[in-house]
Amino acid sequence: MEMKKVTLSENLDESAHFTVKLIDDVGNLILLIILGIIPIINFIVAGYGAEIIRRGEELDKPPKLSEFGKLFIDGLKIAIAALLYALVPLLIGTIVGIMFAVPFKLKYYPELPTIFSLLWLYPVLAVTSLVGILFAIFGVMGILHMIRTDEFGKAFAFSEILKLIETVGWGEYLIWLIIMYVIGSIVAWLSAANFIVGAILSVFYIVFAARSAYHIYPKG
């Protein structure tokens, strides 16, 4: 049986309580931390998050690590889908950059000092950022859709993704994304300040975000 629709505050509260239970199995937690700091192998931890999203109501606490091969493949799928979503904004940014930089620097203002010749970067960054935000909005729900349906192509089923977002409600979905982004940014900042602390917090964040993502994804 699927868990009933919860409010955003209930989502965050339940997800926090779920995540804290990581400390109930210290061995499992340590293994997750170790796997999380090894390049490529850390796809397993992303796959672990996918398992939490997929199993949902079946879990009342973070599961024991198992089926490492399956978790790795799940994590790899997430990485590939995220990369494909990121390529479009980067491609658009590159095209816009060429359109602005070449005439700005070489034709119209060749005499400007270097610092002023870089003014073309502002519209490029603006366009790239706006497109990136749009693709992130669809990309997160797309990846959730991929995980829940266990079909890679569903990550790019835009009409279905749009309906899912509308079911959640644009306001609630965007607020949830902002909350996840802020928490993730804090974890990234702490990771840069202290490697060990960052490695530990990253595991807790992945579990928290996965459980919360399960709640935000429409049921039924």
Side-chain angles (χ1 to χ4, degrees):
M1 180 182 297
E2 294 286 0
M3 188 174 289
K4 68 178 183 178
K5 168 73 175 178
V6 298
T7 65
L8 185 55
S9 60
E10 290 172 335
N11 172 340
L12 298 174
D13 183 65
E14 196 281 336
S15 299
H17 282 85
F18 179 89
T19 303
V20 169
K21 294 179 182 178
L22 273 169
I23 62 177
D24 291 347
D25 190 339
V26 177
N28 195 57
L29 174 58
I30 292 174
L31 183 55
L32 281 166
I33 294 170
I34 293 173
L35 293 173
I37 61 178
I38 304 174
I40 306 300
I41 300 298
N42 56 13
F43 287 162
I44 293 174
V45 182
Y48 182 80
E51 181 181 10
I52 291 172
I53 294 171
R54 186 180 297 115
R55 293 175 63 182
E57 172 74 1
E58 177 187 336
L59 300 172
D60 61 359
K61 63 180 180 179
K64 189 83 172 179
L65 274 165
S66 61
E67 300 183 84
F68 292 88
K70 181 178 182 301
L71 295 182
F72 179 84
I73 295 299
D74 284 341
L76 180 61
K77 288 179 180 178
I78 292 172
I80 293 174
L83 177 61
L84 291 175
Y85 265 104
L87 284 178
V88 174
L90 290 174
L91 178 60
I92 292 175
T94 300
I95 293 173
V96 174
I98 294 173
M99 291 171 59
F100 275 91
V102 174
F104 194 101
K105 174 64 177 174
L106 302 180
K107 184 177 181 180
Y108 296 111
Y109 302 101
E111 73 284 356
L112 286 176
T114 301
I115 186 171
F116 292 106
S117 68
L118 293 178
L119 288 175
W120 61 269
L121 278 173
Y122 290 102
V124 174
L125 291 174
V127 171
T128 304
S129 297
L130 288 174
V131 175
I133 290 171
L134 178 61
F135 271 73
I137 290 171
F138 277 82
V140 171
M141 184 59 78
I143 290 173
L144 292 181
H145 195 36
M146 174 190 73
I147 293 170
R148 291 288 294 175
T149 60
D150 203 22
E151 295 182 36
F152 182 80
K154 293 296 185 180
F156 309 98
F158 295 108
S159 60
E160 295 179 26
I161 294 168
L162 181 59
K163 289 179 181 178
L164 289 169
I165 295 174
E166 291 174 344
T167 299
V168 175
W170 279 97
E172 181 173 338
Y173 179 62
L174 291 176
I175 291 172
W176 177 77
L177 281 179
I178 292 171
I179 291 172
M180 293 298 108
Y181 174 78
V182 170
I183 297 174
S185 297
I186 293 172
V187 170
W189 179 75
L190 292 173
S191 297
N194 188 298
F195 176 76
I196 300 300
V197 171
I200 297 171
L201 289 181
S202 293
V203 170
F204 279 86
Y205 174 70
I206 288 173
V207 172
F208 173 79
R211 185 64 171 185
S212 186
Y214 163 72
H215 286 303
I216 208 69
Y217 185 88
K219 309 302 185 296

